[in-house]
């Protein structure tokens, strides 16, 4: 369904999964899955920018699990330690990273929502805290999320240091 040199860019990993699933359900075959992608995934594959090693999927899962075990957030108290919640939080973090939303920006947005919707303030606080804890743990471990390299590329384009394929640019 896609030419070898064409890419179908979608806004999130969830959209990629959905479109790929729809194509498969429609009986369309072929190796098109790597060409249906998000913008950040495409750039990561093309430019290979990284200043710190990427965290693996399993290490990422363990890191978020540890964050959830270390602290209880009242809004999520009944579901926080269930396997399904861990998967939801992992997807949530991926969506934020794919959307290029950094933890400090997300915190600011959640603080604004707490004022607008005080009944959900504990939910917004929990989401912002989990995301901040995840980013903080990555920094302490000397790792980055796969999507974080886009910020490295952006910094390089704005005149800051960037690392492209192991070389400073």
């Amino acid at each position: 369904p896609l030419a070898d040199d064409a890419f179908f860019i979608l806004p999130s990993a969830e959209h990629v999964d959905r479109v790929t699933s729809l194509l498969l359900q429609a009986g369309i075959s072929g190796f098109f899955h790597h060409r249906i992608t998000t913008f950040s995934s495409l750039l990561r594959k093309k430019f290979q920018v990284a200043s710190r090693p990427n965290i693996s999927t399993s290490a990422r899962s363990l890191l978020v699990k540890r964050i959830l075990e270390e602290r209880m957030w009242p809004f999520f108290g009944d579901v926080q330690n269930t396997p399904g919640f861990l998967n939801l939080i992992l997807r949530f973090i991926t969506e934020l990273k794919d959307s290029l939303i950094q933890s400090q920006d997300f915190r600011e947005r959640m603080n604004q929502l707490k004022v607008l919707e005080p009944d959900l303030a504990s939910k917004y606080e929990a989401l912002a805290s989990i995301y901040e804890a995840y980013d903080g743990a990555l920094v302490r471990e000397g790792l980055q999320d796969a999507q974080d390299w886009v910020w490295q590329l952006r910094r390089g384009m704005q005149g800051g240091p960037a690392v492209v394929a192991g070389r400073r640019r």
Side-chain angles (χ1 to χ4, degrees), residues 36-138:
I36 300 172
T37 187
T38 62
F39 182 69
S40 64
S41 292
L42 176 64
L43 289 178
R44 184 175 60 253
K45 291 172 190 168
K46 284 295 229 183
F47 295 105
Q48 300 173 1
V49 176
S51 62
R52 296 177 282 169
N54 287 344
I55 189 168
S56 70
T57 302
S58 56
R60 186 175 192 258
S61 219
L62 290 171
L63 179 64
V64 172
K65 184 175 187 234
R66 188 177 73 214
I67 290 167
L68 294 175
E69 290 171 346
E70 288 175 352
R71 182 170 170 201
M72 273 308 239
W73 286 276
F75 189 85
F76 298 120
D78 293 340
V79 297
Q80 184 171 323
N81 292 319
T82 63
F85 186 74
L86 172 61
N87 292 332
L88 283 173
I89 291 297
L90 287 166
R91 293 293 304 222
F92 170 71
I93 290 170
T94 298
E95 291 297 324
L96 289 170
K97 296 284 187 173
D98 279 345
S99 299
L100 301 177
I101 299 172
Q102 292 186 309
S103 57
Q104 63 268 25
D105 296 329
F106 186 68
R107 163 63 71 189
E108 289 174 21
R109 293 176 188 184
M110 293 300 96
N111 286 342
Q112 291 170 356
L113 284 176
K114 286 193 280 187
V115 172
L116 293 173
E117 299 179 284
D119 292 347
L120 295 174
S122 66
K123 176 182 181 180
Y124 299 139
E125 178 59 34
L127 292 172
S129 295
I130 291 168
Y131 192 34
E132 287 172 334
Y134 175 73
D135 270 352
L138 286 179

Side-chain angles (χ1 to χ4, degrees), residues 2-21:
L2 292 175
D4 288 342
D5 61 347
F7 292 91
F8 188 49
I9 308 299
L10 295 165
S12 69
E14 182 180 355
H15 288 97
V16 169
D17 292 345
R18 180 71 176 136
V19 168
T20 301
S21 175

